[in-house]
Amino acid sequence: MNRTAIAKACGFNRSVLYDNEDCARMLAEAHSSETRKTPGSAHDDPTGKQLQALENQVQHLETRVACLAAENADLRLKLKRAKAVADELVADGKRIAPYESGGTQ
């Protein structure tokens, strides 16, 4: 399982896959189900129940991704607003500019 490719496809840093408990759990579950599959097993020809369960799981995960994307967008907007306020305070001389060792982001 290529975690770098997964993180890149999802649009976030690879460390999220390790640090975020939900992501780590989902990857562990996916990895364990992937290793249980063997050629010629029942997983090669899923039944209607299995297909329905998989479709439900996909729908649940798609909903979760949409919720997390919305939360991410909201947090980015809040960060942008906070930076604008901080920049205005620095420009007015009411606040000293923070030291950023890694450059601006």
Side-chain angles (χ1 to χ4, degrees), residues 38-82:
T38 57
S41 71
H43 294 288
D44 292 340
D45 189 22
T47 64
K49 272 187 174 179
Q50 290 171 328
L51 280 176
Q52 185 62 42
L54 290 172
E55 288 173 2
N56 290 342
Q57 184 179 14
V58 166
Q59 184 178 10
H60 169 75
L61 292 173
E62 287 174 344
T63 302
R64 180 142 172 85
V65 167
C67 289
L68 291 173
E71 180 183 6
N72 190 355
D74 183 51
L75 291 172
R76 285 180 189 271
L77 181 62
K78 287 179 181 179
L79 178 61
K80 185 178 179 180
R81 289 178 181 161

Side-chain angles (χ1 to χ4, degrees), residues 80-91:
K80 185 178 179 180
R81 289 178 181 161
K83 283 182 179 181
V85 168
D87 289 345
E88 190 63 33
L89 289 173
V90 169

